[in-house]
Each structure stands twice: as structure tokens, then as C-alpha cells.
Amino acid sequence: QQNRLPLVREAGLTQLRVHRAQVQVPYVERDVQQQVAAALGWGRSVLLVGHSMAGKTRLAAQVMRQRFPDAPLLIPESGKALRELVGEGLDPAGVVLWLDDLERFLGPDGLTIDLLTRLASGKSLLIATIRSQMREAYRPRKELRPPEWEVLEAFTRIGLQRRHTDAELHRIRAVVIDPNVLAAVRDYGLAEYLGAGPLSIDKFEQGEMVQPVGRALVQAAVDWRRSGLTHPVPKRVL
């Protein structure tokens, strides 16, 4: 079955769910890149945690391509799909499992601690990302201990800061010469700028005058997510 899977080097950034850049800039190494590379290995599960648009997926993709370019790659559509593939006899040995936005795969019908243990003992490699706020939503509170938290804690966790360090900024300046881009990187961060974060903020702020109802709907949806609620907003509530 592994022969039917694409190889890591054959997967494009879009397929890996890396945000499309509004400006083409060479990849810039992050300070934790060597830590991520050292953590990856067969039978291991590695989770990159950070804010939205911090560059988690791009970093994971870069390291994966460098370390395991010829390994079979599995990008399941959901946790349920992953569970079904394993149940149908998928041999996980030597397969890289790509789980971007890990919360999409968690749950009793998806990636449980039993399934994670089975995949790791089967010598697969799980590479996952999750936003900091989403991870916190699963944190145990008083007597409530979500089973998803046990899965999250089973991963080797590596944090990625949203703001660049001085060393990272130095590397960015070595490949970016446009002063406007450098200013935006300083104010917002490279990943957020490349992902059109500043443009989105400007459009949102101007929306109060251009489309006030639409802006209000977006604001309500944002507040809903920021409060820790992950299921869709009911129309009546919105």
C-alpha cells in the first residue's frame, strides 16, 4: 500500500496547507528548526504549537522535506479517515503522517491515544501542528480531563514564537531588501505578512464604513472562536 502513496518530495506546499504568500520570499530558517529536525524520527510524534500564521506549517514542511524526501506521505482528510485506513490494514511503517491543524483529527472516531500508540509502535512518523489557543481549549479544568488532552500530551511539543528573534531577523534581512517588506515583518512577523495578515486587518477595519453588517458578522465569529468555542456558530446566535 505504501507504493500507492506519494513521496514527501512530491507534495506541494498548497497540498500541505501552507498559506499562499502574497510576496515571494526565500525560506528563512527558524531558531527551533534544528530542534524540530532532531525530534523527528520513526516511531515518534512531533507537534508544533504556536499562534495562527506563526509559520508552523511552513517550518514543519521544510524540515520534513529535508529529512524524509523519499518517504511515503499520507495526508488524511480527517481523523475518521485515518482510523479507517489503519483499520483496513494500512502498514504505517516508514510512512510520514501529516496532520496540519491537529484538532481536525481528534475525537473518539479519529485520533485517540490508542490509535496514536499503535501508529508510533508501527514505526510511522506523525508531524502535526496546532494553534496555541486550540491546544489550550483542551487543557484539563478541575475534574474535567478531555481525552484529547492525553493525545496532545503524547506528542513531543515544540513551540514556535510569533515574533522573530534577533537572529531570525538577521537572516531575514540577508534575503529581503525591500524596506517596506522589512517594516511589515518588524511590525507583524514574516509569516503573517506573507499570508496577507496586514491586508486582512486593513480590510476588516475599513469594513465598518464599507459593509458594517458584514464586519459585525466577522467580529462575532472571531469573538466566538477567541472565547474557546470550536463548533460552528448557530445562525440564531450569530
Side-chain angles (χ1 to χ4, degrees):
Q1 288 183 342
Q2 291 185 13
N3 294 331
R4 303 175 188 173
L5 296 174
L7 302 181
V8 166
R9 57 181 166 81
E10 297 172 340
L13 292 179
T14 301
Q15 186 180 1
L16 296 174
R17 303 180 80 244
V18 175
H19 291 284
R20 181 171 301 188
Q22 64 167 341
V23 177
Q24 295 304 314
V25 172
Y27 176 78
V28 178
E29 181 177 338
R30 305 299 299 270
D31 286 353
V32 299
Q33 185 160 323
Q34 295 307 313
Q35 181 183 354
V36 175
L40 296 180
W42 301 118
R44 298 181 182 178
S45 307
V46 179
L47 176 62
L48 272 68
V49 182
H51 288 283
S52 176
M53 301 297 292
K56 305 180 297 298
T57 306
R58 184 65 181 89
L59 168 60
Q62 183 73 16
V63 177
M64 179 181 67
R65 286 170 153 186
Q66 290 176 345
R67 289 288 314 279
F68 305 97
D70 296 318
L73 175 66
L74 176 61
I75 309 176
E77 295 181 354
S78 63
K80 182 179 180 181
L82 174 60
R83 176 172 289 278
E84 290 175 349
L85 285 170
V86 175
E88 292 171 0
L90 172 72
D91 181 4
V95 174
V96 175
L97 298 177
W98 182 261
L99 307 176
D100 188 48
D101 287 336
L102 182 58
E103 70 275 8
R104 300 186 300 123
F105 301 93
L106 301 176
D109 294 330
L111 184 63
T112 61
I113 190 63
D114 291 339
L115 179 56
L116 178 61
T117 301
R118 180 178 176 182
L119 291 169
S121 62
K123 300 303 180 183
S124 64
L125 167 59
L126 284 78
I127 306 177
T129 69
I130 194 170
R131 296 188 299 277
S132 303
Q133 189 172 8
M134 288 303 306
R135 179 177 178 272
E136 286 302 307
Y138 293 110
R139 182 179 292 278
R141 290 172 175 82
K142 297 182 179 180
E143 295 82 13
L144 180 62
R145 185 178 179 85
E148 292 85 356
W149 182 254
E150 187 177 7
V151 177
L152 292 172
E153 287 294 274
F155 279 80
T156 297
R157 185 175 72 256
I158 299 177
L160 185 63
Q161 298 298 319
R162 184 170 64 88
R163 293 296 185 185
H164 292 287
T165 65
D166 290 340
E168 289 171 341
L169 288 173
H170 178 74
R171 291 193 288 270
I172 291 173
R173 295 188 188 103
V175 297
V176 177
I177 59 175
D178 188 326
N180 294 322
V181 174
L182 289 175
V185 169
R186 182 187 63 245
D187 294 338
Y188 300 101
L190 180 60
E192 290 177 319
Y193 172 71
L194 296 180
L199 293 178
S200 299
I201 292 175
D202 180 69
K203 185 175 182 179
F204 174 72
E205 292 176 344
Q206 295 301 314
E208 187 170 7
M209 295 179 291
V210 179
Q211 187 60 263
V213 175
R215 183 187 187 279
L217 290 171
V218 171
Q219 181 68 68
V222 169
D223 290 343
W224 177 270
R225 176 56 67 90
R226 292 183 66 188
S227 69
L229 298 169
T230 58
H231 57 279
V233 189
K235 184 177 180 180
R236 177 181 56 83
V237 176
L238 184 62

